[in-house]
Amino acid sequence: MRKRPLGKTTLQVSELALGTWGLSGDGYGPMVEAEIDRVIDRALAVGIDLFDTADVYGRGEMERRLGKRLQGAGPAFVVTKIGTDLEGLPPRKRFDPAHLRTAFERSQERLARDVVDVVLLHNPTMAAMRSKESLAFLRDLKQAGKIRAFGVSAGSADVARSALRDEVDVIEIAYNAFLPGDLHEVAGDVSESGAAVLARSVLAHGLLAGQWSADREFFSFDHRAERWTREEFKLRIRQLDVLRPLVTGPVVSLRAAALRFVLANQLVSSAVLGPRSVAQLDQLVREAGMPPYLGDTALTELSARLRSAGITT
């Protein structure tokens, strides 16, 4: 497993990370508990040392599980996210220091770590970013030696840019071949700040694996049932054709092309994967391949095809 610098921190992390939202059962439906453990253990075995989670994944269960599975497993870094109050009626986002302090202490206990590697605000609004209190709280945790790095999991380029200008260590942002624009929009800010980029949604929730037909339907408990209208979904399936010219030589599938697109961007410190089985994880690790992931000519031609298909690059 190749390593990359985690931005301006002193950490070196695997360029593939294991995301745990899918394993939690929250997004795609129930998981067999034994398979969750097998996926985590397999990630460690293939050299993945960066694990992405949040205090709300499985209502804290994924943090607890990582706390157990990673103990004594050698170097392993955890990124967790806080800022959602599930105890409120209704549950809501909260980024006030009082809530964040309680949330962090609970995460720290579940992860069984005196020092948490990376803590991110979980999808804050621009209003939360403007208040400055939440980032000041995380900065204080870092100065106190309770976390190694801090930042924001951003839902938009505006939030990411605001975080970068407030000198965070890490941003997490959706980045894939069908959604390249947010990261490209803040690329200059990333370069200037030296912050690490964790790329999530690298397969667009499975779409970019290229294995669905246009009439694919999802179960009601699967978040993808509400993600696209039927017409939007059919359009996305047609747009997959712009990726097919990349499938040549060592790029053996659309899934490989999509993953290599993310890894080809040197701003990305790690691509956060979301496998729900050992077989899926092994497939992704195998198909990531070796650098150069995609050539400059291939990327330039892809950008032109994406624009012609109506995808903003």
Side-chain angles (χ1 to χ4, degrees):
M1 184 64 59
R2 287 162 297 283
K3 301 291 188 76
R4 298 189 184 190
L6 189 68
K8 59 190 175 185
T9 75
T10 61
L11 303 178
Q12 295 276 330
V13 299
S14 55
E15 64 181 9
L16 300 178
L18 180 67
T20 60
W21 183 54
L23 294 176
S24 74
D26 293 342
Y28 302 96
M31 285 285 301
V32 175
E33 287 195 19
E35 186 66 7
I36 301 172
D37 290 342
R38 284 194 290 267
V39 171
I40 295 170
D41 292 347
R42 181 59 179 164
L44 288 166
V46 299
I48 290 174
D49 62 15
L50 186 63
F51 296 82
D52 179 82
T53 191
D55 62 351
V56 293
Y57 292 177
R59 301 187 73 91
E61 177 57 27
M62 293 315 304
E63 287 183 328
R64 279 189 287 269
R65 197 169 291 270
L66 287 174
K68 293 177 182 178
R69 304 308 296 181
L70 300 184
Q71 278 191 350
F77 307 105
V78 175
V79 178
T80 197
K81 301 179 283 289
I82 58 177
T84 306
D85 182 4
L86 291 182
E87 296 176 357
L89 294 174
R92 61 192 177 98
K93 289 292 183 181
R94 280 188 61 184
F95 298 100
D96 57 281
H99 172 75
L100 293 178
R101 181 173 294 104
T102 299
F104 170 73
E105 290 172 353
R106 290 175 177 175
S107 290
Q108 189 179 33
E109 181 179 1
R110 288 189 291 261
L111 290 167
R113 292 187 170 221
D114 293 330
V115 180
V116 180
D117 299 299
V118 183
V119 176
L120 307 178
L121 301 180
H122 200 175
N123 197 22
T125 62
M126 279 301 298
M129 295 300 297
R130 282 192 289 269
S131 76
K132 308 296 183 184
E133 286 185 335
S134 51
L135 285 180
F137 170 75
L138 294 184
R139 190 173 283 108
D140 288 345
L141 286 182
K142 181 181 177 181
Q143 291 175 349
K146 294 183 178 181
I147 64 177
R148 290 188 171 88
F150 71 97
V152 170
S153 179
S156 69
D158 286 342
V159 169
R161 182 179 295 107
S162 176
L164 291 165
R165 292 178 178 175
D166 281 332
E167 300 182 339
V168 298
D169 301 312
V170 179
I171 63 165
E172 182 171 302
I173 194 167
Y175 179 63
N176 59 60
F178 277 7
L179 187 62
D182 284 353
L183 179 54
H184 291 174
E185 190 174 333
V186 299
D189 297 278
V190 171
S191 296
E192 183 176 347
S193 71
V197 173
L198 303 180
R200 66 173 185 267
S201 302
V202 298
L203 294 182
H205 310 292
L207 172 69
L208 297 180
Q211 297 181 323
W212 300 340
S213 65
D215 58 358
R216 169 70 185 262
E217 294 190 4
F218 301 97
F219 292 112
S220 59
F221 52 71
D222 188 323
H223 76 100
R224 295 171 295 189
E226 304 296 330
R227 180 163 290 276
W228 304 285
T229 67
R230 178 51 52 187
E231 289 308 310
E232 286 171 342
F233 185 73
K234 289 180 178 178
L235 172 61
R236 287 305 198 188
I237 294 296
R238 291 195 300 271
Q239 287 173 329
L240 286 172
D241 286 342
V242 304
L243 297 180
R244 297 192 192 280
L246 296 175
V247 183
T248 181
V251 185
V252 297
S253 67
L254 286 180
R255 177 180 47 247
L259 181 51
R260 285 166 174 256
F261 171 84
V262 174
L263 292 173
N265 190 330
Q266 291 304 305
L267 291 178
V268 173
S269 293
S270 194
V272 181
L273 309 178
R276 283 168 47 87
S277 70
V278 168
Q280 289 178 358
L281 174 60
D282 283 348
Q283 198 169 46
L284 287 163
V285 172
R286 182 172 61 251
E287 294 189 2
M290 299 284 289
Y293 296 105
L294 293 174
D296 291 341
T297 299
L299 289 168
T300 300
E301 293 174 349
L302 173 62
S303 182
R305 290 196 302 273
L306 289 170
R307 290 193 299 271
S308 68
I311 298 170
T312 302
T313 60

